[in-house]
Amino acid sequence: MAIQRTFGAILLCFSATAAAHAQADTIPRTNLFSWRDAAILEGFAILAVAAAPLDRRMADRLRDSSLQANTKLRKTARFVRTISDPGSYVIGAGMYTYGRLAKNAKAADLGLHGTEALLAGEGLGLVLKGVIGRARPYVNIDNPHDYQLLRGFGRGNEAYRSMPSGHTIAAFAAAAAVTSETSRWWPRSVWYVAPLMYGGAATTGISRMYNNKHWASDVITGAAIGTMAGVMVVRWHFSHPGNGIDRVFLGASLRETSTGWNSLALQIAPLP
């Protein structure tokens, strides 16, 4: 029961922090980083620290033979893992391509910025994996504190790239980008888009724990990185209309008007 309550608390915290972040991001801002972002990061940090002592217990629980023998759970874990990575890239590229061909500015905008968020989040994640050098649960499930500086770099060191979870970064970066974009266009959408997107992202993290690839604290750290990557990328683009990336890949950008984010306008800019 303690493990189930812990998982429930993790999901609740994911949902609460994500909804708060998305709701706050419907307000136009010029600063790239705010006190709200600091509060969200602090929430993730507290959650990661609280989960760390339970890393081994959670890993043991998910390695239970009855859970591992469950065909539906195995298939679900495989499905959500694939959807997050490489699925997120395929979906982002597909949405961007559709938007450009169909002249749908919002679809192209979302596809481009979502893919940027994935690249930014996973780029940072790869660096941290190498620097932290944490052993994955399958190396020794009895030792969740096996860290070694810079051990994660180098060919053949995949077993020591546990923290943070790359699939979780991808899932949360996509969730944050989609939620942030749609909440600026349709502010009320946050109440159903955020739970759907972040709930799916949290499922991805749990699937990585189920597959014995990551500890709980790896997943929470990945969620924090992915969330911030998605929010920051979208915020930067909306606060810098006509930036070079949008000019090259979109040829137009959504910008704030005098009536706020509910009113959208196209700013056409020539290619450089």
Side-chain angles (χ1 to χ4, degrees):
M1 288 298 293
I3 298 296
Q4 286 85 339
R5 287 196 296 270
T6 302
F7 276 125
I10 290 175
L11 288 172
L12 181 61
C13 289
F14 276 160
S15 178
T17 54
H21 217 161
Q23 185 180 20
D25 227 38
T26 63
I27 304 171
R29 66 180 75 206
T30 56
N31 295 329
L32 188 61
F33 192 82
S34 72
W35 66 266
R36 289 186 180 90
D37 301 315
I40 296 297
L41 283 177
E42 183 178 0
F44 274 117
I46 292 173
L47 190 58
V49 170
L54 299 174
D55 275 342
R56 178 181 172 182
R57 291 180 61 189
M58 289 185 181
D60 283 335
R61 179 68 184 91
L62 289 173
R63 294 307 297 167
D64 181 85
S65 59
S66 61
L67 291 178
Q68 291 298 315
N70 190 307
T71 303
K72 290 183 179 180
L73 286 179
R74 291 204 308 271
K75 289 182 177 180
T76 300
R78 186 184 309 116
F79 173 75
V80 297
R81 180 182 71 240
T82 304
I83 287 294
S84 68
D85 191 357
S88 294
Y89 287 98
V90 174
I91 294 170
M95 186 171 294
Y96 168 76
T97 302
Y98 161 76
R100 294 295 283 163
L101 293 176
K103 299 187 185 302
N104 185 323
K106 291 179 181 178
D109 199 64
L110 182 56
L112 175 63
H113 300 161
T115 303
E116 285 183 68
L118 289 169
L119 291 171
E122 291 209 299
L124 176 58
L126 284 173
V127 173
L128 291 176
K129 282 174 177 286
V131 172
I132 296 172
R134 188 183 196 183
R136 294 183 185 273
Y138 64 74
V139 174
N140 183 358
I141 202 169
D142 294 323
N143 185 14
H145 307 297
D146 186 0
Y147 300 88
Q148 185 174 317
L149 186 65
L150 305 179
R151 181 171 58 178
F153 291 116
R155 185 176 300 178
N157 288 357
E158 181 61 30
Y160 300 98
R161 297 171 186 162
S162 188
M163 176 179 274
S165 166
H167 283 79
T168 307
I169 290 175
F172 274 83
V178 170
T179 305
S180 294
E181 289 258 0
T182 55
S183 67
R184 289 176 184 272
W185 302 333
W186 308 291
R188 292 184 180 179
S189 70
V190 67
W191 296 109
Y192 53 86
V193 173
L196 177 64
M197 295 302 300
Y198 283 102
T203 302
T204 299
I206 293 173
S207 77
R208 298 303 286 158
M209 295 166 59
Y210 174 79
N211 290 143
N212 206 30
K213 300 293 186 180
H214 290 286
W215 308 97
S217 51
D218 298 339
V219 167
I220 296 169
T221 305
I225 294 171
T227 299
M228 294 309 300
V231 169
M232 292 296 182
V233 166
V234 172
R235 185 182 298 161
W236 185 84
H237 277 284
F238 272 81
S239 61
H240 294 78
N243 63 79
I245 296 175
D246 280 354
R247 289 203 308 271
V248 170
F249 291 100
L250 297 176
S253 62
L254 295 172
R255 64 178 173 84
E256 180 187 5
T257 68
S258 59
T259 56
W261 292 114
N262 290 329
S263 179
L264 299 173
L266 288 178
Q267 180 181 40
I268 306 300
L271 294 176

